Structure formats: structure tokens, C-alpha cells
Amino acid sequence: QLQLVESGGGLVQPGGSLRLSCAASGFTLNYYTIGWFRQAPGKEREGVSCINSSGGMTNYAASVKGRFIISRDNAKNTVYLQMNSLEPEDTAVYYCAAVHRGSSYCSMYADAMDYWGKGTPVTVSS
């Protein structure tokens, strides 16, 4: 059974940092584009970042650009989202998702993703 498992969420003060992990179970991520998405209560799911299969292409939502960094370690079958300078507006459940596309694919389009984790909550508050 193919599964993605997020971890690393929690409570952090504004200005703090967290690193989220997305680990694959049951399949290898080597050929998969990975996206991070988030959804705050009562709001639409939004794309945060994506990374292509090799890790050479990344994209970020304007709201997180310069603060978040996406990376992957295919040997560990894991993708990371380093979140710095966190703001209360970053509070949401964060999901990772995977899709098997071409090596140049990197898009934060939720409908294109085939596999989803169950999410890890991030709360940014004093």
C-alpha cells in the first residue's frame, strides 16, 4: 500500500523554524514530483512548494518564498520542507503529495497529485 507520512509539525512561536518531513512507504520517490500543500481551517487548500524528481527544480508560493526551502534525499526516500521565519498566517495542516510525471515537472497543482499524506499540523502562535 503506497503511503506518504508527514512529520515534524507542532507549535512554534512567530519567527521560529520547523522542518517537515515527508517519507514514502511502499514505493520509491526517485521518479516522483513532490508537492507541499497546506490548508487552514475554513480556507482552501493551497500549494506551498514543489520539487521535481531529481531535486533540481523547485517552486514556491509567493507567500513563503525566501522563508521556506524544499529539498529531497532520494536515498532516504524523504522530502523536506524547512520553514523559517514562521508567521501566524502559516498556521495550517501541511500535506505532502506525490505524482509520477516527467523529470522536469514541478507544479503546485493539487488536482495533479496522485498520492497524499494525512497531514501534519503546524501552529504558529505566541
Side-chain angles (χ1 to χ4, degrees):
Q1 183 172 327
L2 278 59
Q3 189 175 21
L4 296 171
V5 180
E6 304 95 335
S7 62
L11 175 65
V12 64
Q13 293 184 340
S17 298
L18 286 173
R19 188 179 75 159
L20 306 184
S21 298
C22 174
S25 177
F27 68 106
T28 178
L29 291 180
N30 287 8
Y31 301 104
Y32 287 79
T33 295
I34 303 296
W36 282 99
F37 301 82
R38 67 186 182 187
Q39 187 166 22
K43 295 186 177 181
E44 295 278 337
R45 178 177 53 189
E46 62 176 341
V48 176
S49 185
C50 66
I51 187 167
N52 76 326
S53 57
S54 69
M57 293 179 57
T58 59
N59 285 312
Y60 299 91
S63 59
V64 308
K65 191 171 297 184
R67 299 189 297 119
F68 291 10
I69 301 172
I70 190 170
S71 63
R72 67 191 300 158
D73 187 342
N74 284 343
K76 296 182 178 180
N77 221 25
T78 303
V79 174
Y80 305 97
L81 184 67
Q82 178 67 46
M83 305 187 296
N84 302 314
S85 301
L86 284 162
E87 304 168 351
E89 292 77 13
D90 296 317
T91 296
V93 177
Y94 283 71
Y95 302 88
C96 68
V99 62
H100 188 195
R101 301 291 286 268
S103 61
S104 63
Y105 182 78
C106 183
S107 180
M108 295 175 287
Y109 182 52
D111 288 348
M113 313 308 286
D114 290 328
Y115 307 104
W116 290 83
K118 294 182 178 180
T120 185
V122 172
T123 302
V124 184
S125 176
S126 297

